[in-house]
Amino acid sequence: MAPVELYIYDLSNGIAKNLSYQLTGRQFDGIWHTSVVAFGKEVYYGPYNPGPVPGIQIVEPGRSHHGRPMLVENMGDTQIDEETFWEYIQELQSVYTGDKYHLIEFNCNGFSNDCVGFLTGGSIPSYIKELPTDFFATPFGQQLRPMIDQIFRRTLPAPSSTPRAFLPAPTLATTSGAEAAILTSPIHICTNSASFNSLLRSNKAVVAFFTSDTCAPCKMISPVFGKVATEKNRDGAAFIEVNMSNGMSGVVAQDHGISATPTFLFFLSGSKTDELRGVNAIELRSKVDLLLYEAFPLHPHVKLDLPAIRAVSLKPIIYSQPPSFDAAYGKLASFIEASSAPDKSAVVTAFKAEILPFLKVRFPPATANGKEKAQPNTSVPQSFLASFAKVTITLLNNLQPAELFPVVDFWRVAVLDDRVASWLGLAGTRKDGPQTDITQKIFVKVVALHEEAHAVPRNLLLTTLRLASNCFMSSDLTRHILTPSTTSSASVAPRSTLTSVLIPALLHDDDSTRTAAASLAFNIAQHVQKPLMEAGGKTPESTNSDMDAEWQVEIVSALVEALSRESSNEAIVHRLTASLALMLHLSPFYAESVAPLLEVLQTREMMLAKLAPVSGGGVIVPTKLNNNGTLV
């Protein structure tokens, strides 16, 4: 037996981990390129042909132009002998040629998966295989897809017409740095039974297309299959192409009784459920839709008649009223003067010369009719943001907690400017991000006071909650403050920090603070709900499902507790109820994690009690509960 290893390279060199959530709304820890190491050689697939095998590169382990791998995964041992493996690679020459390479649809990771399947019967990690599905489900990915297709649909230099002799002990390739960034394929090319069976085990829904080089009808239906795979590709579903003319694919066909091409087989949870022979595009689409519906049914709440919930506005609650800048600065100036802050004169100068002039022009006071005449076209001075961030950090480090509310309130208004919000939201993209991630620093300050058992001053907590609510006006800043993992500018996951600000505030003694906390909870809930409603109740795809489930359970638990305690303010009850309803409505974690929690917390009984009549007629919470006690 010989060991088999998977070399994993991050082609972004850490950039994806730090910036992906801010840019896409999803966390991607790398842009993965993989190769297989067996029998003392590293084998991988690329679009160029410097080596003896067209498209397939063979080098000494760790000696490719990618350098040393970021990770090495043990794929187990193989009982295949070395000569058989190189014969298999020889057969793949006609499959994995340089001219067939596509960044998304036919690349190194599909090749690695084939080799691992042949050698061990296993497969490469799912986080590598499913990267394209997750990335192209984001708006940013959808924007990039046409450009990527255009680049990789180009005509590549034709491979040499002179056959290359295959060497059982292969000559090593000399690689260059010209190879394109590599993702993974929506269509899995299977050339052996081990790879095929591995895909059946690791996916709930599988569609297998059996084809051959000499099959004319196959060429007619192949583009349809490719389009269906691209449209329907998702986590837990696999679209497989088995070309019976290549490799050991004929064995796969024999295993499944394929006697003619084209033939499509449909599998649910590893068991064959249907079969389609011949060219019938309409029937193919119909059977794929049925399979995916059975594998990934719509959320059970989709079937409920819930007009009130679906009519809830998914616009965030915003605190747009500007303060009296002169009065607020007057208080702040007195705090600065009495502090031990270094270089007080520079701080005062920054406020008078840059910060206040911009804020006053951009957010003028309300007119006689109560409406503000904001000036969105006001230019942002080049040094304004860096200067504002610098003095804010100085004040956070030197003023007493009760003296910080004016500067936090200035940021509360400032983030309503898209340019300011985007600058803050993209803190992780800048070298000075750790110093200028102001929202994170303010939230961390509040959390630290909680953790040190100090009471957070009401004025600081209230303005911080309102600042957090206003962050939801910007998609960049929303993604940033809800990033579920650490970033280059935040040593603690921003979402965790924000949650730690919110939850204690929901139980605060002060009505205004609880109202602001309930508003922030609603903004979080509407942000969670919006993509679920856009998906029409389909089970969403997620690479952080465990992390998201724990977080949503934490939020739901806090909302239920806050509702159970709230007895004096009807407006707060309504906001909390709307927040809870949105968190539950299409939650992908409802059945497994959330519903049992609601039962333990006796949510049904608590909400029924909230339906008791109040003075003046009516009820506190005009909502509907379904039969199993879920608030909707």
Side-chain angles (χ1 to χ4, degrees):
M1 293 192 298
V4 178
E5 294 179 325
L6 184 74
Y7 277 19
I8 303 171
Y9 302 84
D10 175 17
L11 298 179
S12 74
N13 291 319
I15 294 176
K17 184 174 183 179
N18 289 327
L19 304 186
S20 59
Y21 197 89
Q22 290 95 318
L23 294 175
T24 70
R26 299 285 293 274
Q27 181 63 36
F28 301 106
D29 289 337
I31 304 299
W32 308 118
H33 162 70
T34 61
S35 59
V36 174
V37 175
F39 305 110
K41 297 293 183 289
E42 180 178 354
V43 188
Y44 65 97
Y45 170 57
Y48 300 99
N49 308 314
V53 183
I56 298 176
Q57 312 296 308
I58 306 170
V59 297
E60 292 284 358
R63 298 297 298 273
S64 75
H65 66 275
H66 296 296
R68 303 300 300 176
M70 187 182 83
L71 295 171
V72 176
E73 292 270 1
N74 181 10
M75 295 287 100
D77 295 328
T78 181
Q79 298 185 17
I80 302 294
D81 61 79
E82 182 174 1
E83 183 178 357
T84 301
F85 177 61
W86 296 123
E87 288 177 354
Y88 173 69
I89 295 296
Q90 183 180 24
E91 291 176 348
L92 292 185
Q93 290 183 61
S94 61
V95 180
Y96 289 97
T97 58
D99 60 316
K100 291 182 180 177
Y101 179 87
H102 187 279
L103 180 69
I104 310 302
E105 298 175 356
F106 198 76
N107 53 55
C108 69
N109 296 320
F111 172 77
S112 295
N113 196 55
D114 242 9
C115 289
V116 169
F118 178 78
L119 290 168
T120 69
S123 64
I124 66 176
S126 60
Y127 71 87
I128 297 174
K129 291 190 296 183
E130 303 304 333
L131 177 61
T133 300
D134 296 330
F135 177 73
F136 287 106
T138 69
F140 185 70
Q142 291 167 7
Q143 291 176 3
L144 288 183
R145 180 64 195 247
M147 181 181 68
I148 292 172
D149 280 339
Q150 184 177 11
I151 292 171
F152 283 90
R153 298 293 185 199
R154 71 192 187 281
T155 302
L156 296 175
S160 171
S161 59
T162 305
R164 296 177 183 263
F166 181 77
L167 301 176
T171 302
L172 302 182
T174 302
T175 60
S176 69
E179 206 167 17
I182 300 163
L183 294 169
T184 54
S185 171
I187 297 180
H188 300 270
I189 305 298
C190 277
T191 59
N192 59 78
S193 295
S195 293
F196 190 90
N197 293 333
S198 176
L199 286 167
L200 288 183
R201 289 193 301 269
S202 59
N203 292 277
K204 193 170 184 180
V206 172
V207 182
F209 171 35
F210 289 84
T211 180
S212 66
D213 290 342
T214 58
C215 171
C218 295
K219 293 179 173 62
M220 296 171 61
I221 197 66
S222 181
V224 177
F225 179 67
K227 187 173 183 180
V228 171
T230 299
E231 293 172 354
K232 306 295 184 180
N233 193 24
R234 53 157 298 143
D235 186 25
F239 293 83
I240 303 174
E241 180 178 311
V242 182
N243 189 328
M244 295 163 59
S245 303
N246 296 326
M248 300 179 66
S249 301
V251 177
V252 181
Q254 280 186 330
D255 290 344
H256 295 277
I258 304 300
S259 58
T261 57
T263 295
F264 297 89
L265 300 185
F266 302 85
F267 297 85
L268 179 63
S269 299
S271 299
K272 177 184 169 184
T273 60
D274 208 345
E275 180 175 334
L276 175 65
R277 296 184 180 185
V279 178
N280 191 329
I282 295 176
E283 188 69 8
L284 174 61
R285 285 185 172 275
S286 176
K287 289 183 179 295
V288 170
D289 287 341
L290 177 60
L291 176 68
L292 295 179
Y293 179 82
E294 292 175 341
F296 311 103
L298 294 179
H299 195 286
H301 288 170
V302 171
K303 300 176 183 178
L304 299 177
D305 182 21
L306 305 170
I309 295 301
R310 289 160 193 155
V312 171
S313 172
L314 296 183
K315 293 182 178 179
I317 298 172
I318 300 302
Y319 294 89
S320 59
Q321 177 68 38
S324 171
F325 290 111
D326 289 333
Y329 176 69
K331 293 181 181 179
L332 183 62
S334 65
F335 298 150
I336 295 171
E337 181 60 31
S339 74
S340 58
D343 202 1
K344 299 177 188 178
S345 60
V347 174
V348 170
T349 299
F351 272 105
K352 289 183 176 181
E354 295 179 285
I355 299 169
L356 288 175
F358 170 76
L359 293 176
K360 286 181 179 181
V361 174
R362 177 65 179 82
F363 303 100
T367 59
N369 62 7
K371 295 183 178 180
E372 303 87 24
K373 289 186 177 180
Q375 304 294 322
N377 294 323
T378 304
S379 61
V380 180
Q382 185 174 2
S383 60
F384 167 77
L385 291 168
S387 177
F388 196 4
K390 182 177 179 180
V391 300
T392 298
I393 292 170
T394 298
L395 299 180
L396 286 172
N397 292 333
N398 291 278
L399 295 187
Q400 295 299 312
E403 300 171 342
L404 292 170
F405 71 92
V407 70
V408 176
D409 207 34
F410 291 161
W411 280 108
R412 187 263 306 173
V413 177
V415 298
L416 295 176
D417 185 290
D418 287 341
R419 297 159 296 183
V420 175
S422 293
W423 185 80
L424 289 171
L426 297 175
T429 68
R430 301 190 303 272
K431 290 183 178 180
D432 66 350
Q435 291 76 46
T436 58
D437 192 350
I438 297 301
T439 52
Q440 178 73 356
K441 290 187 177 296
I442 292 172
F443 299 159
V444 166
K445 182 75 173 181
V446 171
V447 172
L449 291 172
H450 278 304
E451 292 177 346
E452 294 167 4
H454 296 307
V456 182
R458 173 190 172 277
N459 52 17
L460 173 60
L461 181 57
L462 183 60
T463 51
T464 299
L465 291 167
R466 290 174 174 174
L467 163 63
S469 287
N470 284 4
C471 290
F472 285 81
M473 279 292 287
S474 163
S475 58
D476 288 332
L477 192 47
T478 299
R479 285 194 296 266
H480 177 60
I481 65 174
L482 290 180
T483 301
S485 59
T486 59
T487 69
S488 61
S489 64
S491 58
V492 178
R495 187 172 74 182
S496 176
T497 304
L498 181 64
T499 303
S500 296
V501 172
L502 169 66
I503 290 178
L506 290 170
L507 305 177
H508 201 275
D509 293 337
D510 176 66
D511 275 13
S512 296
T513 302
R514 294 200 311 281
T515 300
S519 300
L520 176 57
F522 176 83
N523 288 355
I524 291 172
Q526 63 83 26
H527 176 76
V528 170
Q529 174 74 183
K530 190 177 296 183
L532 299 175
M533 293 192 72
E534 290 172 353
K538 296 178 181 177
T539 306
E541 300 159 9
S542 176
T543 56
N544 301 303
S545 58
D546 291 340
M547 188 186 303
D548 290 341
E550 292 176 5
W551 175 67
Q552 290 197 21
V553 165
E554 184 179 11
I555 295 294
V556 168
S557 178
L559 290 172
V560 171
E561 183 178 3
L563 269 167
S564 68
R565 295 191 183 190
E566 187 61 53
S567 59
S568 62
N569 192 308
E570 183 176 342
I572 295 175
V573 172
H574 277 282
R575 290 190 187 186
L576 292 173
T577 302
S579 303
L580 182 58
L582 292 179
M583 291 298 294
L584 302 181
H585 181 210
L586 296 175
S587 169
F589 316 111
Y590 172 76
E592 184 175 343
S593 303
V594 178
L597 172 70
L598 296 174
E599 186 174 352
V600 169
L601 296 178
Q602 298 182 319
T603 307
R604 176 181 174 82
E605 292 76 8
M606 181 272 292
M607 291 306 303
L608 286 173
K610 292 293 178 184
L611 288 167
V614 295
S615 60
V619 296
I620 289 182
V621 189
T623 60
K624 180 179 178 181
L625 294 113
N626 65 18
N627 292 332
N628 63 10
T630 304
L631 174 67
V632 289

